[in-house]
């Protein structure tokens, strides 16, 4: 083994012995340090996985959704509007969508009633999402009664359930036939909730939206990019909210670690004095203390990160779930797909391991360059 | 085995476990791809725009489709009173502009 490596090995050996002499104090520090890394890494892994999932799933959403606005609020859009869109170049397909909300007082939650564009559903039948089926205790062949806009009870036969694997987007959906939807909400023929547009060339989407705003000034185009950005922003925001909640704990740790790392106890000061008196060079003392900082912070980082990974992807983030997920009566059940962003991990490493290691070296350097006799006194 | 060797072994095991999390993430995302594909196919088929995360109010169910003045959707000066409201970011227009204003007047060739 080269002498340099041999030397580092002996230094590590000495450092470990020195750390073990103050066992309780150093184990306490390691535990708190690992807990801080655990909390930060859990939030980071959870939000990254949710963001990744949202972006992947919503990638197939319509490029543009066009809403009609009346007095600043979303209103029904008529066929004449849809016909006028035909004049805009770049629009591949356009289709009026029929969807709306129904508040069910029985479970105190909103359902999303929707007419599927390409799926045949018999009038009086419904295909429901797994969240509704679970909350109302329904399965195929059961009946679901809802009170329509005319005040009468409308009964739907549950013809089937949507695939539970798609629950993240379909938990509260009720797919119904067009005649039922119009009768239930009292929406006249030729009127739609909004219009979904497919644009062939992704680079033209913004231009098409711009043309639409000029052609139909009473409408508001919502681009798929904006939809994706909305979800990106939500999860960033939540990550921030949790980080703020953790801030107190992080600051307490910073003060604690700084005090531990930068302030030298009389015992440590004496130890340095003795080492120098028996012939250790200043650089050796600094190297030894560097190893001390590195051992503590690296072990804490690895333990904290591994615990966070297990917490988020094996235990479904049980500790942070209520804040990060939010809640709802019809909350979808889904297990997150693990995704680890190497860059995020590197950032976390830099901000947790690096400052502590540096903080341990500076005061040691100050103590190590002074005369052993002065230090020991 | 010396103390240092034991420590280095511990570090090696922890580093290996960290590397394994990347392998685990890759394997499990392959496993989950049919589930994601099912959701993505439904989004494509029905033209869905939002995740069914908050179903308590219409403006939280379809966040991206909600009116721009979300805080006052029920009646003028209505306070936002759903818990998810406190977890959502303020509307984008309160932040510096991130995208072009589509209402900008430009020539329309069509």
């Amino acid at each position: 083994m080269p002498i340099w490596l041999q030397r580092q090995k002996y230094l590590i050996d000495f450092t470990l012995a020195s750390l073990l002499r103050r066992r309780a104090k150093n184990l306490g520090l390691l535990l708190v340090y690992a807990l801080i890394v655990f909390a930060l890494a859990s939030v980071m892994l959870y939000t990254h996985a949710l963001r990744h999932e949202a972006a992947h799933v919503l990638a197939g959403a319509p490029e543009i959704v066009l809403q009609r606005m009346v007095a600043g609020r979303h209103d029904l859009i008529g066929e004449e509007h849809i016909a006028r869109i035909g004049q805009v170049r770049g629009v591949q397909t356009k289709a009026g969508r029929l969807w709306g909300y129904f508040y069910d007082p029985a479970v105190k939650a909103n359902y999303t009633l929707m007419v599927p564009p390409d799926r045949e559903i018999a009038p009086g039948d419904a295909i429901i999402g797994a969240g509704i089926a679970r909350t109302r205790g329904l399965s195929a062949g059961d009946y679901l009664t809802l009170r329509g806009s005319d005040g009468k009870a409308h009964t739907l036969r549950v013809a089937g359930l949507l695939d539970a694997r798609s629950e993240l987007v379909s938990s509260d959906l009720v797919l119904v036939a067009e005649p039922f939807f119009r009768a239930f909400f009292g929406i006249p023929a030729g009127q739609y909730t909004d219009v979904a547009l497919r644009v062939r060339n992704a680079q033209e989407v913004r231009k098409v939206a711009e043309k639409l705003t000029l052609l139909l000034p009473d409408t508001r185009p919502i681009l798929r990019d904006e939809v994706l950005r909305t979800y990106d922003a939500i999860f960033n925001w939540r990550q921030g909210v949790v980080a703020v909640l953790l801030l107190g704990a992080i600051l307490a740790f910073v003060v604690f670690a700084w005090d531990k790392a930068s302030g030298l106890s009389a015992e440590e000061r004496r130890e340095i004095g003795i080492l120098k008196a028996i012939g250790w060079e200043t650089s050796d003392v600094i190297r030894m203390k560097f190893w001390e900082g590195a051992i503590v912070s690296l072990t804490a980082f690895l333990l904290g990160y591994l615990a966070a990974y297990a917490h988020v992807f094996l235990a479904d983030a049980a500790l942070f779930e209520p804040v990060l997920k939010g809640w709802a009566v019809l909350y979808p059940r889904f297990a997150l797909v693990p995704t680890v962003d190497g860059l995020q991990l590197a950032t976390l490493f830099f901000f947790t391991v690096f400052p502590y290691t540096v903080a341990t070296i500076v005061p040691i350097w100050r103590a190590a360059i002074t005369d052993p006799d002065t230090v020991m006194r | 085995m010396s103390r240092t060797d034991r420590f280095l072994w511990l570090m090696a095991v922890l580093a290996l476990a960290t590397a394994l999390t990347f392998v685990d993430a890759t394997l499990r995302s392959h496993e989950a791809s049919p589930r994601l594909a099912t959701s993505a196919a439904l989004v494509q088929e029905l033209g869905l725009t939002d995740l069914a995360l908050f179903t308590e109010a219409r403006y939280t169910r379809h966040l991206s489709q909600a009116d721009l003045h979300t805080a006052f959707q029920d009646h003028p000066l209505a306070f936002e009173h759903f818990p998810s409201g406190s977890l959502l970011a303020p509307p984008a227009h309160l932040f510096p502009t991130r995208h072009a204003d589509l209402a900008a007047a430009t020539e329309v060739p069509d």
Side-chain angles (χ1 to χ4, degrees):
Chain A
M1 193 185 283
I3 293 177
W4 183 84
L5 268 183
Q6 197 74 32
R7 197 184 170 108
Q8 302 305 317
K9 214 178 146 189
Y10 287 135
L11 278 172
I12 293 175
D13 200 49
F14 184 87
T15 310
L16 285 172
S18 151
L19 284 172
L20 288 174
R21 269 200 300 279
R22 294 180 288 272
R23 196 183 297 252
K25 195 175 165 192
N26 285 316
L27 276 180
L29 172 72
L30 186 70
L31 190 72
V32 177
Y33 203 154
L35 270 177
I36 293 285
V37 175
F38 164 77
L40 290 174
S42 292
V43 176
M44 186 192 86
L45 288 171
Y46 193 92
T47 43
H48 182 69
L50 254 184
R51 206 178 300 140
H52 186 261
E53 186 133 344
H56 190 281
V57 166
L58 294 177
E63 278 84 4
I64 301 176
V65 172
L66 195 68
Q67 286 182 347
R68 184 167 168 242
M69 306 297 283
V70 172
R73 308 200 77 165
H74 181 189
D75 204 38
L76 296 176
I77 190 163
E79 270 174 338
E80 65 288 351
H81 272 76
I82 302 176
R84 285 172 71 190
I85 300 169
Q87 300 158 7
V88 177
R89 206 182 296 149
V91 176
Q92 193 179 7
T93 59
K94 55 180 191 302
R97 299 197 306 168
L98 282 169
W99 63 274
Y101 301 106
F102 174 79
Y103 179 73
D104 186 354
V107 293
K108 294 191 172 59
N110 277 295
Y111 300 161
T112 301
L113 268 73
M114 187 171 213
V115 176
D118 303 315
R119 206 186 277 212
E120 277 300 312
I121 296 181
D125 275 3
I127 297 174
I128 61 172
I132 297 180
R134 193 168 50 238
T135 315
R136 294 278 304 240
L138 297 171
S139 53
D142 289 346
Y143 289 89
L144 174 68
T145 303
L146 310 172
R147 189 172 293 276
S149 60
D150 50 5
K152 291 179 193 151
H154 294 249
T155 301
L156 287 163
R157 189 182 70 91
V158 179
L161 303 184
L162 288 165
D163 195 331
R165 289 179 298 177
S166 66
E167 218 177 306
L168 185 59
V169 290
S170 67
S171 175
D172 69 333
L173 285 188
V174 180
L175 302 183
V176 293
E178 185 173 340
F180 175 89
F181 185 90
R182 292 193 183 279
F184 185 76
F185 286 117
I187 295 178
Q191 297 281 310
Y192 295 90
T193 312
D194 53 24
V195 184
L197 304 173
R198 294 275 174 192
V199 179
R200 200 189 317 255
N201 183 353
Q203 306 206 316
E204 277 181 14
V205 173
R206 199 158 284 281
K207 194 73 197 162
V208 169
E210 207 173 292
K211 287 177 191 170
L212 288 171
T213 0
L214 291 171
L215 188 68
L216 305 164
D218 60 343
T219 61
R220 168 194 172 210
I222 302 165
L223 311 188
R224 184 170 63 197
D225 278 358
E226 288 169 356
V227 171
L228 294 174
R229 230 179 355 238
T230 302
Y231 281 90
D232 208 36
I234 287 176
F235 299 129
N236 277 342
W237 181 258
R238 280 173 179 223
Q239 193 170 4
V241 168
V242 179
V244 167
L245 294 178
L246 286 175
L247 200 65
I250 295 170
L251 279 178
F253 171 73
V254 168
V255 172
F256 172 65
W258 183 260
D259 183 54
K260 162 78 185 66
S262 63
L264 285 180
S265 66
E267 197 192 343
E268 281 172 313
R269 223 172 258 276
R270 241 187 89 224
E271 187 186 334
I272 292 168
I274 294 169
L275 290 176
K276 287 204 75 180
I278 59 170
W280 280 46
E281 286 172 21
T282 305
S283 61
D284 290 332
V285 176
I286 292 176
R287 258 187 221 119
M288 189 266 282
K289 281 292 166 181
F290 161 78
W291 279 117
E292 189 180 311
I295 286 169
V296 171
S297 51
L298 197 62
T299 315
F301 175 79
L302 290 175
L303 285 175
Y305 166 72
L306 288 171
Y309 188 87
H311 168 230
V312 173
F313 298 123
L314 302 177
D316 288 334
L319 292 177
F320 295 119
E321 201 183 23
V323 184
L324 287 169
K325 265 190 177 177
W327 68 274
V329 177
L330 295 174
Y331 204 90
R333 276 187 195 162
F334 60 96
L336 280 174
V337 181
T339 44
V340 184
D341 183 358
L343 184 69
Q344 270 193 334
L345 193 63
T347 313
L348 187 68
F349 178 84
F350 185 78
F351 282 106
T352 50
V353 174
F354 187 71
Y356 185 80
T357 311
V358 172
T360 48
I361 291 178
V362 177
I364 296 297
W365 173 74
R366 261 198 233 126
I369 53 169
T370 46
D371 182 44
D373 185 48
T374 327
V375 176
M376 275 193 285
R377 253 174 233 279
Chain B
M1 198 189 286
S2 75
R3 200 182 290 125
T4 312
D5 288 337
R6 275 192 309 233
F7 171 74
L8 291 177
W9 270 109
L10 174 72
M11 283 291 108
V13 169
L14 288 179
L16 183 69
T18 303
L20 282 179
T21 61
F22 283 85
V23 178
D24 179 58
T26 314
L27 289 177
R28 283 172 65 183
S29 59
H30 276 298
E31 263 173 40
S33 55
R35 180 175 71 78
L36 286 181
T38 310
S39 299
L42 196 70
V43 167
Q44 180 94 34
E45 184 203 337
L46 301 177
L48 302 178
T49 50
D50 288 78
L51 304 182
L53 287 175
F54 325 106
T55 52
E56 62 261 41
R58 61 187 194 292
Y59 48 84
T60 56
R61 170 61 180 91
H62 290 93
L63 288 168
S64 65
Q65 313 292 303
D67 292 354
L68 294 170
H69 46 285
T70 308
F72 311 117
Q73 297 220 331
D74 286 329
H75 52 82
L77 293 179
F79 280 114
E80 167 67 58
H81 60 275
F82 286 107
S84 45
S86 58
L87 292 169
L88 299 176
H93 64 264
L94 293 179
F95 295 114
T97 318
R98 291 187 211 155
H99 51 86
D101 185 0
L102 293 176
T106 50
E107 290 291 322
V108 183
D110 288 308

